[in-house]
């Protein structure tokens, strides 16, 4: 598969698969574009590309559902796979394996190239010319606090001493033509970097990137270790450096093929009220919070720029699929790094990323002689309790890899028949992320709660394990062969 290095190449690949729908009629960014996008995700339709957006400059466009499930029959993860340089036929396990493999490779630093001729520099707006009202300004949900300009873009930030550059996704809301605000949470890498600037009382330089390398949104939503450079990880994933150019007004680099780049500084104080916004958990909560202000000091953009949007809500949409792949891969890498045999992991999409399923190979006992299922699952829980990505999983189920955790039929059967309603589970109390409504209000405000790990492992072969009542499980090989031969002749 040839790597796609910008949003336009990615959209072209979707169109070739019949997974892109061009909408030529005028579409209002005030709710209408998001409503169409939301409908497309819920109905598994092609991704909408809005060619005419009312209120924006002529030629400025919006694209929705870029990371949602694909409409291509039999290949639900086609959009995610293409964004990572995989064939559109890749399965969930293949996608996780690719992300895990990239973690084991040496990082490939981005390549700084001259700005002259860079698509993202087709137009350069400085100072008062850099107004946001010439661009599409999508209001995503009717009760949102304001238009949310960033739902699928990446924020570039760097520590004051320059040791760590971070690319991450965080929602960002419009205040006026020159100011934005967004979630800057202390538990997330953006918040960690901002706190270093807050400590010295200086505003933090930032760049907000729309478009660019299709893998940006996936990697920006991953839970790489603190200090890791997402751009270098993306280079390891692609096997070649990401090309970047220097910003106009801040000492940061952004993808060469970005659609739009907003530059400026993030205030050193929480000066604005952010929210509310309907989120990935599927609920339109009314919560707001004090957050810092992004000043808009320059905007650069391509000819006929395309601004991506994610209409987050009840699963499954973009806000679930990319984080599922990233969190699952990071957990697999962490568990394997601890010497534990793991086949794969997957956050079941229908749970809004609240559950984690870990599968282990049938021969795991050979790797851990003398260890029973309770001890094995306890070790998994200890690792999860000790890492950030593990604490992001309120409920985890450990199962044999005879089932595919990304297949809901497999998963529901396994959960219903292998998970004891009260026994074979262990919980760990500790820090939790503040956006899981399954916790109590007290737990969410304290940032402290429990995660639980369930042991759903089967007995060893020959020690009580029974065959599944399936075509392959309860019929002899010679009969199965005759049935399959008869099927082939009848076609």
């Amino acid at each position: 598969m040839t790597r796609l290095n910008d949003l336009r190449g990615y959209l072209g690949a979707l169109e070739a698969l019949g997974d892109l729908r061009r909408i030529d009629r005028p579409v209002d960014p005030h709710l209408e574009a998001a409503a169409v996008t939301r409908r497309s995700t819920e109905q598994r339709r092609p991704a909408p590309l809005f060619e005419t957006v009312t209120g924006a400059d002529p030629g400025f466009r919006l694209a929705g559902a870029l990371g949602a499930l694909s409409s291509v029959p039999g290949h639900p993860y086609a959009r995610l796979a293409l964004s990572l340089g995989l064939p559109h036929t890749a399965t969930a396990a293949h996608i996780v394996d690719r992300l895990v493999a990239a973690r084991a490779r040496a990082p490939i630093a981005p390549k700084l190239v001259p700005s002259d001729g860079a698509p993202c520099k087709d137009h350069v707006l400085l100072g008062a010319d850099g107004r946001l009202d010439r661009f599409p300004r999508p209001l995503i949900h009717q009760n949102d606090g304001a238009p949310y300009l960033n739902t699928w873009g990446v924020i570039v930030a760097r520590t004051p001493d320059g040791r760590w550059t971070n690319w991450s996704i965080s929602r960002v809301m419009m205040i006026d033509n020159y100011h934005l605000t967004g979630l800057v949470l202390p538990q997330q890498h953006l918040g960690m970097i901002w706190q270093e600037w807050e400590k010295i009382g200086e505003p933090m330089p930032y760049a907000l990137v729309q478009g660019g390398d299709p893998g940006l949104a996936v990697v920006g939503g991953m839970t790489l270790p603190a200090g890791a450079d997402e751009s270098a990880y993306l280079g390891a994933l692609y096997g070649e450096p990401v090309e970047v150019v220097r910003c106009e007004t801040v000492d940061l680099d952004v993808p060469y093929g970005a659609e739009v780049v907003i530059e400026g500084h993030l205030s050193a104080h929480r000066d604005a009220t952010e929210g509310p916004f309907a989120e990935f958990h599927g609920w339109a909560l009314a919560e707001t919070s004090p957050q810092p202000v992004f000043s808009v000091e320059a905007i650069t953009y391509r000819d006929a720029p395309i601004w991506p949007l994610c209409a987050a809500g009840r699963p499954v949409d973009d806000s679930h699929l990319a984080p599922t792949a990233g969190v699952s891969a990071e957990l697999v890498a962490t568990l394997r790094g601890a010497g534990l045999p793991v086949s794969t992991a997957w956050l079941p999409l229908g749970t809004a990323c609240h559950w984690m399923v870990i599968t282990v190979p049938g021969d795991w006992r050979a790797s851990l002689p003398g260890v029973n299922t309770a001890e094995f699952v306890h070790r998994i829980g200890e690792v999860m309790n000790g890492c950030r990505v593990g604490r992001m999983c309120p409920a985890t189920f450990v199962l044999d890899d005879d089932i595919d955790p990304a297949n809901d039929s497999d998963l529901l059967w396994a959960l219903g028949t292998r998970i004891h309603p009260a026994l074979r589970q262990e919980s760990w109390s500790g820090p939790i992320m503040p956006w899981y409504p399954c916790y109590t209000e007290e737990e969410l405000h304290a940032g402290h709660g429990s995660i639980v790990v369930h042991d759903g492992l089967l007995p060893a072969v020959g020690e009580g394990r029974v065959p599944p009542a399936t075509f392959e499980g309860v019929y002899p090989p010679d009969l199965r062969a005759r049935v399959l031969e008869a099927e082939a002749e009848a076609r």
Side-chain angles (χ1 to χ4, degrees), residues 336-348:
R336 288 178 182 170
L340 298 175
V342 171
S343 298
T344 194
W346 191 249
L347 289 167

Side-chain angles (χ1 to χ4, degrees), residues 233-256:
Y233 171 82
L234 196 57
L237 180 75
Y238 288 144
E240 60 185 32
V242 174
E243 291 190 333
V244 294
V245 295
R246 188 62 43 84
C247 285
E248 296 293 313
T249 61
V250 293
D251 186 22
L252 295 169
D253 301 327
V254 294
Y256 176 88

Side-chain angles (χ1 to χ4, degrees), residues 36-319:
V36 172
T37 299
R38 185 71 220 170
R39 183 71 173 163
S40 79
T41 61
E42 293 180 359
Q43 300 295 313
R44 290 278 301 277
R45 295 174 181 170
L49 175 60
F50 304 101
E51 304 274 17
T52 305
V53 181
T54 60
D57 280 6
F60 287 23
R61 297 172 284 173
L62 278 170
L66 298 179
L69 292 174
S70 170
S71 65
V72 179
H75 303 296
Y77 310 119
R79 295 181 198 173
L80 180 59
L82 289 172
S83 72
L84 298 175
L86 286 168
H88 77 276
T89 54
T91 65
H94 290 149
I95 290 168
V96 170
D97 284 346
R98 182 170 179 84
L99 293 170
V100 172
R103 283 275 277 112
R105 300 190 194 112
I108 299 177
K111 178 183 178 182
L112 184 63
V113 298
S115 296
D116 292 345
C120 66
K121 303 286 189 177
D122 285 344
H123 304 269
V124 177
L125 307 176
L126 301 176
D129 291 335
R131 296 175 59 90
L132 293 171
D133 58 4
R134 68 179 60 202
F135 297 93
R137 302 174 304 286
L139 184 67
I140 309 296
H141 317 96
Q142 65 181 357
N143 293 323
D144 288 351
Y148 270 80
L149 301 195
N150 192 59
T151 52
W152 199 242
V154 167
I155 301 168
V156 181
R158 181 179 295 144
T159 55
D161 61 7
R163 74 182 187 284
W164 177 21
T165 299
N166 175 249
W167 292 10
S168 62
I169 288 184
S170 188
R171 72 193 200 202
V172 177
M173 176 183 107
M174 184 176 176
I175 297 175
D176 57 38
N177 276 322
Y178 302 106
H179 300 92
L180 305 156
T181 188
L183 284 186
V184 182
L185 300 175
Q187 303 94 330
Q188 295 183 306
H189 291 167
L190 176 64
M192 295 175 191
I193 291 176
W194 177 77
Q195 284 179 321
E196 294 193 26
W197 290 93
E198 179 194 31
K199 194 173 296 184
I200 63 175
E202 294 184 16
M204 183 190 80
Y206 80 90
L208 175 56
V209 179
Q210 305 297 328
D213 298 78
L216 271 178
V218 181
V219 173
M222 287 184 69
T223 49
L224 295 176
D229 186 330
E230 285 80 7
S231 63
Y233 171 82
L234 196 57
L237 180 75
Y238 288 144
E240 60 185 32
V242 174
E243 291 190 333
V244 294
V245 295
R246 188 62 43 84
C247 285
E248 296 293 313
T249 61
V250 293
D251 186 22
L252 295 169
D253 301 327
V254 294
Y256 176 88
E259 294 289 327
V260 181
V261 177
I262 299 173
E263 305 175 15
H265 288 80
L266 184 59
S267 66
H269 306 283
R270 296 185 182 274
D271 308 315
T273 299
E274 192 275 342
F277 183 75
E279 268 286 6
F280 75 99
H281 43 58
W283 299 100
L285 303 179
E287 291 186 349
T288 62
S289 61
Q291 298 295 340
V293 174
F294 295 83
S295 63
V296 179
E297 297 160 20
I299 304 177
T300 70
Y301 63 96
R302 297 182 71 153
D303 289 331
I306 303 170
W307 198 294
L309 72 89
C310 166
R314 179 173 167 171
V316 178
D317 59 50
D318 327 41
S319 67

Side-chain angles (χ1 to χ4, degrees), residues 343-366:
S343 298
T344 194
W346 191 249
L347 289 167
L349 297 169
T351 71
C353 305
H354 282 50
W355 288 4
M356 172 60 75
V357 179
I358 298 166
T359 61
V360 302
D363 62 354
W364 66 265
R365 292 170 178 83

